[in-house]
Amino acid sequence: MKNNQGMTSEPFKYDYLRYNIHNVLRPNWLLILSLFFLCRHIFLFVLVGLMGLRGGGAPGMKVLVEMLNPVYNITDILPAMMFYVMSVRSPKAKSLPRWLWKHGRLLVFLSIATFLIVFAFRTQLALSTYGAVEWVVIAVNVLIALYIGLSGFIRDLFNEFPAVHEPESP
C-alpha cells in the first residue's frame, strides 16, 4: 500500500507526486492538452504568422489560413486565461487569478459552449455539410467538456489554490 504523505504528516488524496511545492494539485497533461486544443485558433494564428515570415508562405499555408476565422478567436480567450493562471498559481497571486481558478471549470464550459454556438450559427446547423474535421472538432469539444465536468481530479484541482502566506510579526 502506498504512503501518500510526502514530506508532511498530512495524507494526500492523490499520489504526493501530483502536488507542487505549495501542496496543491498540479495540472495534469490531459488538462494542458485540452486547454491547448481549446486555444487552437490563437496557436494557428501564431503559426501562420511565423510561416509568413519565411517569405511567400508554403503551399499548406492556404489551408491553415482557411481554418483561421477571426470569429472563433473569442472562444480561445478563456482557456488562454487558464494558462496564464497556471503560471501565476502561487501564494503571492492576486485576487483575480484566484477567482479565475476557482471558476475555471465553468469558464472552460463557457468557452466550449461559445464555440459550439458560434460554430452552429456560422454553419447554420447544416449537419449534412459537415466534413470529418468538423465532426472531430465537435467530438473533441464534447469529450473535453465531459472530462472537465466528470473528473474528480479536475474538480479537486480547480478547488485548490496556494494559501496566502501571512508575514510573521516579530
Side-chain angles (χ1 to χ4, degrees):
M1 181 145 112
K2 282 188 178 180
N3 178 4
N4 288 334
Q5 291 183 339
M7 301 293 279
T8 67
S9 61
E10 295 179 31
F12 293 126
K13 183 175 181 178
Y14 302 96
D15 185 63
Y16 73 94
L17 294 174
R18 290 184 154 211
Y19 292 83
N20 66 15
I21 61 172
H22 305 294
N23 287 331
V24 295
L25 288 169
R26 281 190 271 155
N28 62 4
W29 283 105
L30 191 53
L31 176 65
I32 292 168
L33 291 173
S34 297
L35 292 175
F36 184 81
F37 176 80
L38 295 174
C39 293
R40 66 192 173 278
H41 303 102
I42 291 174
F43 292 119
L44 282 174
F45 181 74
V46 171
L47 181 64
V48 167
L50 291 175
M51 288 175 65
L53 293 177
R54 285 188 348 177
M61 191 165 150
K62 186 173 183 176
V63 174
L64 285 176
V65 171
E66 290 172 6
M67 292 172 58
L68 278 177
N69 193 316
V71 74
Y72 293 117
N73 289 344
I74 192 79
T75 66
D76 293 6
I77 293 171
L78 295 175
M81 287 181 2
M82 290 298 102
F83 273 128
Y84 166 72
V85 174
M86 276 187 216
S87 71
V88 297
R89 199 169 159 235
S90 74
K92 296 178 183 178
K94 303 293 184 198
S95 60
L96 180 61
R98 290 176 184 279
W99 186 90
L100 289 170
W101 192 257
K102 180 181 178 183
H103 301 296
R105 290 174 64 217
L106 179 64
L107 296 174
V108 171
F109 286 138
L110 182 61
S111 171
I112 292 170
T114 304
F115 170 76
L116 293 174
I117 290 168
V118 169
F119 184 77
F121 276 110
R122 290 204 34 83
T123 61
Q124 298 175 352
L125 287 177
L127 301 178
S128 62
T129 63
Y130 291 179
V133 173
E134 287 87 358
W135 285 113
V136 167
V137 168
I138 291 169
V140 171
N141 274 282
V142 170
L143 288 173
I144 291 171
L146 288 171
Y147 175 63
I148 298 294
L150 299 177
S151 172
F153 175 80
I154 295 298
R155 187 178 311 111
D156 293 341
L157 174 71
F158 280 107
N159 283 330
E160 293 185 356
F161 204 96
V164 177
H165 290 290
E166 299 292 329
E168 295 180 21
S169 56

